[in-house]
Amino acid sequence: MGRRCRTLEALVVLAAWCLGAAAAPATARVLRVCADPNNLPYSNAARAGFENRIIELVASEMGADVEYVWRAQRRGYVREALNGGQCDVLPGVASNLETVLTTRPYYRSSYVFVWRADRPLALSSLDDRRLGDLIIGVQMVGDDFSNTPPAHALARRGRIANVRGYMIYGDYSTDTPQAPILRAVEGGAIDVAIVWGPLAGYFSQHAMTPLALAPVEPAVDPPGLPMTFEISMGVRRSDAALRGEINRALIAATPEIQRVLNQYGVPQLSLTD
Amino acid sequence: MRRLLCALLVSLFSAAAARAETIYVSDEEADVVHVIDGESLQVVARIAVGARPRGLGISPDQRTLYVACGDANRIDIVDLATRRVTGSLPSGPDPETFALSPDGSRIVVANEDDALVSIIGIRQRHVLHQTPVGAEPEGTAFSPDGRITAATSETANTVHLIDPQSGQNTATIIVGARPRVVRFSPDGARLWASTEVRGAVYVIDAADRRIVDTIDIAAALPEEPIVQPVGIAFTRDYRRAFIGLGRASRVAEVDPANMRIIRFFDVGNRAWNIALSPDEQRLYSANGLSGDISVIDLARNAIVASVSTGGKPWDVVVGP
């Protein structure tokens, strides 16, 4: 009996080995991913960003290796990098980005107020009258006040003189181009910053001075400017099959993705309400 | 004799009950409304309307069909007895969809380019209120009691609740990417919003103004790369709900009691909008890319016919 068992076992192992050998492709599949080489907490060339970690989980789920195409996220990024064919996937795009086909969202975050925890500010609303007396830092794309949603919401309330802009491209010569707005809160150069959640969460984890965070209210600035966004991956509009594959991988890897987001301190809102 | 009479009556009755209905289909390519006889399932007429007709609605007295003609920047009024355009309503630019108030006195229209929702008096033929909303408003609805209007904003990913008396935006609810159609449940307690890019339907408590359920249709069709929930239809008893899934070429049925997906019907391609027959024995889907109308028998839960219209069917409504 024992010998028969062992023989069977050996056969099973041999069969598995043969099947495995037959199933193994000649060359591993490659998922070409466009990512910014210097944009923590999202991605960097050392693969230390949370989007690096998440796309690698997704690729592993798909049985593929990630091949990065490193490019700074600047004007024309989507058009040239993805739609121009340099890569096949862009992690970390807004779910409603129209120039690409977006996957199912893997997280939702919000713009947040950030202030030094040792100051009794407890801010939550853009309508808080105290915002008139505070120096407010806000992320901006260009040099006008009408681009990021909080910049627009502040301008709509006439808050211009006490608002300081911080370029989202930041100082690319450093290894944390987007950190200055958080450092300015820590150092007291500004009283409060309004920052996209993942950035605020990550740099507050690494802050020397404890920082306090609160989601910006109203979540939709009237009449219809949202402060919260779902985040997806983007593929070319002609790549519906790849989107389907990534969707399945995102569902399968949900617990691991959640662990990564928590580890990086990403403030999350529910994806379902 | 009595038996004969009864048989005759029954056959007369069943003939009358057979399909005393007419299906109207907007065709955004041919600039017509196709008229399909419910019994023969033949296209019996084509009504010429303004350029790029999409959203349709029938007046409560079943005599008038309204047609949103996007490229003509107006809503055409069609007399169903003569099947002719008798006038138009001012709608603002590029009307895509609209909803009629339950009493038939007003319509609510989304003006996509201006990020406005307009409430228009039908008798007055002018705009009563305009409400600013999020970018690219799309779908609109009136609650069954006429007290709430709802609108989706496609790029802001929002559902707006608006008081039709004052035009005030009373609540803004964030949903998934690219919300399209909104429909109130027959009792008015729930508001369903379909999201084309997210592939889900959000169920909102109309009184609490918060999301109480999310039906993740895309997750239920993992092998389907594109799942685009758009059209929504309910039976009057709110026992069955149907959702058109666009390029997934399916209609989903959901049980509103537990929000579970019960089954999928395989229909034509790009099934944006759907409509129930008045007797709720049939569901029709307008399939824009296959140029046809799928006919679903809801007793047998099967596709029983496909009516070719050509062009690009967009919306479908059913009248007498």
Side-chain angles (χ1 to χ4, degrees):
Chain A
M1 189 70 188
R3 182 188 286 178
R4 248 182 77 194
C5 254
R6 267 197 298 279
T7 310
L8 250 174
E9 200 174 82
L11 270 173
V12 167
V13 168
L14 186 71
W17 182 82
C18 289
L19 279 171
T27 49
R29 183 178 173 194
V30 166
L31 189 63
R32 296 184 306 155
V33 176
C34 272
D36 192 317
N38 187 20
N39 193 27
L40 282 179
Y42 309 104
S43 62
N44 71 5
R47 303 182 171 203
F50 70 83
E51 295 288 16
N52 296 109
R53 300 273 303 279
I54 290 170
I55 193 67
E56 285 160 19
L57 285 168
V58 165
S60 152
E61 207 53 65
M62 292 166 60
D65 290 332
V66 171
E67 182 184 296
Y68 283 105
V69 177
W70 299 112
R71 258 192 86 118
Q73 281 191 31
R74 298 289 183 268
R75 202 175 287 274
Y77 185 73
V78 173
R79 189 181 65 243
E80 292 161 20
L82 181 74
N83 293 333
Q86 296 175 8
C87 60
D88 303 316
V89 187
L90 289 182
V93 300
S95 296
N96 62 349
L97 186 65
E98 286 197 36
T99 49
V100 304
L101 206 52
T102 55
T103 65
R104 55 188 294 111
Y106 47 100
Y107 73 94
R108 176 190 279 283
S109 192
S110 168
Y111 278 94
V112 295
F113 287 106
V114 185
W115 66 94
R116 272 171 62 147
D118 61 4
R119 296 190 59 185
L121 286 177
L123 288 159
S124 62
S125 172
L126 286 162
D127 296 315
D128 193 319
R129 289 178 179 279
R130 292 174 298 165
L131 288 176
D133 306 321
L134 299 171
I135 303 296
I136 309 163
V138 68
Q139 290 179 282
M140 292 196 303
V141 179
D143 51 9
D144 58 46
F145 285 92
S146 61
N147 41 35
T148 63
H152 191 82
L154 289 169
R156 193 173 75 79
R157 289 166 174 78
R159 308 231 181 274
I160 291 167
N162 60 328
V163 172
R164 306 284 178 265
Y166 290 82
M167 298 287 283
I168 60 163
Y169 299 151
D171 179 358
Y172 214 62
S173 67
T174 72
D175 63 358
T176 50
Q178 298 217 48
I181 189 167
L182 281 309
R183 302 272 188 269
V185 177
E186 281 187 73
I190 53 178
D191 299 306
V192 56
I194 307 178
V195 183
W196 177 234
L199 191 69
Y202 177 77
F203 285 111
S204 67
Q205 277 186 333
H206 296 86
M208 299 299 179
T209 315
L211 300 176
L213 273 60
V216 167
E217 296 282 344
V220 180
D221 198 39
L225 185 65
M227 296 291 149
T228 90
F229 294 89
E230 286 183 340
I231 302 298
S232 295
M233 294 184 184
V235 301
R236 277 180 291 280
R237 295 194 69 88
S238 54
D239 268 355
L242 179 59
R243 171 167 91 158
E245 273 190 279
I246 296 175
N247 277 347
R248 292 194 288 280
L250 285 169
I251 292 173
T254 298
E256 293 91 335
I257 291 171
Q258 281 304 313
R259 267 198 291 281
V260 171
L261 293 167
N262 291 336
Q263 190 189 332
Y264 281 76
V266 174
Q268 285 197 71
L269 304 180
S270 165
L271 278 169
T272 54
D273 59 35
Chain B
M1 184 62 188
R2 196 172 73 177
R3 187 179 295 170
L4 192 68
L5 253 177
C6 283
L8 189 66
L9 262 175
V10 165
S11 70
L12 270 175
F13 184 76
S14 56
R19 294 267 66 109
E21 69 193 39
T22 310
I23 303 120
Y24 301 92
V25 179
S26 59
D27 182 335
E28 60 172 328
E29 192 174 71
D31 296 342
V32 298
V33 172
H34 300 280
V35 181
I36 300 169
D37 174 61
E39 186 173 10
S40 66
L41 290 176
Q42 299 292 315
V43 177
V44 293
R46 288 187 170 89
I47 305 168
V49 295
R52 202 169 184 205
R54 285 180 284 176
L56 297 174
I58 293 182
S59 62
D61 66 9
Q62 311 280 300
R63 288 181 178 168
T64 307
L65 175 71
Y66 298 95
V67 185
C69 301
D71 289 356
N73 301 314
R74 62 172 198 252
I75 292 179
D76 276 350
I77 303 170
V78 175
D79 172 48
L80 286 181
T82 60
R83 293 175 178 162
R84 281 176 185 278
V85 175
T86 58
S88 66
L89 295 171
S91 59
D94 194 18
E96 186 170 333
T97 69
F98 61 89
L100 279 156
S101 64
D103 64 4
S105 69
R106 290 160 295 170
I107 58 169
V108 55
V109 189
N111 298 122
E112 178 156 338
D113 297 344
D114 297 345
L116 289 172
V117 169
S118 300
I119 293 168
I120 294 156
I122 290 179
R123 192 170 42 76
Q124 304 91 323
R125 297 201 181 179
H126 69 75
V127 175
L128 305 175
H129 296 290
Q130 283 196 317
T131 309
V133 294
E136 290 189 45
E138 160 89 17
T140 49
F142 258 98
S143 62
D145 64 6
R147 290 188 176 174
I148 309 172
T149 54
T152 59
S153 289
E154 277 184 323
T155 55
N157 305 327
T158 46
V159 173
H160 299 266
L161 301 186
I162 296 165
D163 176 353
Q165 292 302 325
S166 66
Q168 287 297 307
N169 187 119
T170 56
T172 304
I173 300 133
I174 299 175
V175 294
R178 212 167 177 82
R180 294 281 305 265
V181 165
V182 269
R183 288 278 180 272
F184 282 90
S185 59
D187 65 0
R190 295 282 186 269
L191 179 65
W192 292 39
S194 57
T195 53
E196 177 192 336
V197 168
R198 172 63 186 85
V201 174
Y202 294 78
V203 182
I204 297 162
D205 184 312
D208 287 359
R209 299 157 175 188
R210 61 185 184 84
I211 294 166
V212 289
D213 280 295
T214 303
I215 308 162
D216 194 338
I217 301 173
L221 289 170
E223 301 302 320
E224 187 64 53
I226 308 259
V227 179
Q228 301 171 301
V230 174
I232 301 169
F234 303 116
T235 55
R236 284 181 290 271
D237 62 8
Y238 199 46
R239 294 268 180 94
R240 303 179 78 173
F242 304 96
I243 299 146
L245 301 182
R247 287 178 182 80
S249 303
R250 289 180 182 84
V251 168
E253 178 175 350
V254 171
D255 180 353
N258 54 25
M259 297 301 169
R260 291 212 181 102
I261 299 165
I262 302 297
R263 58 176 67 84
F264 292 100
F265 299 103
D266 291 323
V267 296
N269 194 8
R270 207 194 73 183
W272 278 161
N273 287 294
I274 55 177
L276 281 156
S277 60
D279 65 5
E280 302 188 335
Q281 294 295 303
R282 274 186 184 172
L283 184 76
Y284 300 97
S285 72
N287 315 316
L289 298 183
S290 47
D292 55 14
I293 304 302
S294 298
V295 182
I296 301 167
D297 181 321
L298 292 177
R300 291 165 48 200
N301 290 322
I303 311 289
V304 290
S306 164
V307 183
S308 179
T309 56
K312 279 192 176 165
W314 200 91
D315 199 1
V316 53
V317 292
V318 188

